[in-house]
Amino acid sequence: MGQSKEERVHDVFETIYEKYDSMNSIISFNLHKSWRKETMRQMNVPQGASALDLCCGTADWTLSLAEAAGSEGHVKGLDFSANMLKIGRQKVNQSGWKTIELVEGNAMGCLLIPTVFDFVTIGFGLRNVPDYQQTMQEMHRVLKPGGMAVCLETSQPERKAVEGIYSLYFKYVMPRLGKYLAGRFDEYSWLQESTMNFPNKSALAVMFKQAGFKTVTVHSFSMGAAAAHFARKQLD
């Protein structure tokens, strides 16, 4: 019997954790950092805010949220890979931020008290969950009324010429980079597969609405190679 998506994803990230950060920079041409920086600018996280970072991995976005929220804020990072969290905890300890809590758990069932967070984020993780809609519903559930969910994720370029290059890169180049630079062909084949099967930005916006969010705005990056979705929960 084959692995479920959840089991396969878990095995991937438990395996690639040591080189995950460096490979991310290579695969995205270091653009993922500028995409996250611009997304944070648009979020405009105030001092004292509370935030939940789902699929936090090695905690890069978690740390950015903590820096924005300051010493009066509180940020929780959640991931189901113990090995990814191990790297994240090293970064958090080195940063000195005491406002961050990293916990092992599943984004599809956070088991957190509802209406606690001002922001809930998921960066390059939604494509890896077995059920996108259930995860969005969890994001909606844990937000305070008026809170914002933000998803930064790979997307599908709209221009045909760009789409062709994008597809060739993810299908053929990225797995080989994984093989020769990280010694992990199969794991990086999965990452390209999850990227190419992920809904485009318009379909994802509709799904956020279906999950209960009142308004959804979208910002594209790098000719559509990635997109940030900003989904606002309705005020009571």
Side-chain angles (χ1 to χ4, degrees):
M1 184 179 293
Q3 285 183 306
S4 68
K5 180 177 180 180
E6 184 170 354
E7 290 169 336
R8 186 178 179 190
V9 171
H10 185 264
D11 286 351
V12 165
F13 287 101
E14 287 287 270
T15 301
I16 68 173
Y17 69 100
E18 289 183 305
K19 295 189 176 180
Y20 176 80
D21 287 335
S22 59
M23 287 299 297
N24 250 7
S25 294
I26 292 168
I27 287 168
S28 73
F29 305 101
N30 219 32
L31 289 171
H32 69 291
K33 295 179 181 178
S34 62
W35 297 339
R36 186 172 61 247
K37 184 176 180 180
E38 174 58 21
T39 300
M40 284 291 296
R41 187 192 69 79
Q42 294 191 39
M43 288 170 65
N44 194 26
V45 177
Q47 292 280 301
S50 58
L52 170 65
D53 187 20
L54 295 179
C55 301
C56 68
T58 61
D60 280 347
W61 201 350
T62 317
L63 284 161
S64 295
L65 290 164
E67 290 168 9
S71 59
E72 300 301 313
H74 176 70
V75 179
K76 185 188 293 285
L78 182 143
D79 200 279
F80 76 161
S81 169
N83 283 339
M84 294 285 279
L85 286 175
K86 180 170 67 175
I87 303 297
R89 289 194 175 98
Q90 292 172 3
K91 292 182 185 178
V92 170
N93 291 337
Q94 291 169 2
S95 75
W97 282 104
K98 305 299 183 185
T99 57
I100 296 174
E101 178 188 4
L102 297 183
V103 295
E104 190 173 340
N106 193 315
M108 294 193 303
C110 303
L111 300 178
L112 298 169
I113 301 171
T115 67
V116 170
F117 298 98
D118 300 303
F119 296 90
V120 57
T121 60
I122 186 165
F124 306 106
L126 187 58
R127 61 195 157 107
N128 290 317
V129 302
D131 191 322
Y132 308 141
Q133 198 73 60
Q134 184 177 337
T135 303
M136 293 176 191
Q137 289 168 355
E138 282 295 284
M139 296 173 81
H140 185 272
R141 181 180 68 82
V142 301
L143 280 170
K144 296 176 184 177
M148 180 187 288
V150 184
C151 173
L152 176 59
E153 188 55 271
T154 53
S155 191
Q156 308 294 335
E158 295 174 351
R159 292 171 56 184
K160 291 295 183 183
V162 176
E163 183 183 14
I165 296 170
Y166 178 90
S167 297
L168 287 171
Y169 175 74
F170 274 93
K171 187 173 183 179
Y172 297 107
V173 178
M174 192 175 79
R176 283 159 179 79
L177 286 174
K179 177 180 179 179
Y180 294 117
L181 298 179
R184 298 293 178 183
F185 181 85
D186 290 344
E187 287 79 1
Y188 282 89
S189 292
W190 159 252
L191 293 181
Q192 70 83 17
E193 184 181 321
S194 65
T195 297
M196 299 309 296
N197 290 334
F198 194 66
N200 64 33
K201 64 182 183 181
S202 298
L204 200 62
V206 171
M207 293 175 73
F208 270 107
K209 286 284 192 74
Q210 291 172 339
F213 289 94
K214 181 181 181 183
T215 60
V216 182
T217 58
V218 185
H219 181 93
S220 290
F221 298 101
S222 303
M223 296 181 290
H229 288 69
F230 304 86
R232 182 76 69 174
K233 184 173 180 176
Q234 185 169 353
L235 284 165
D236 286 342

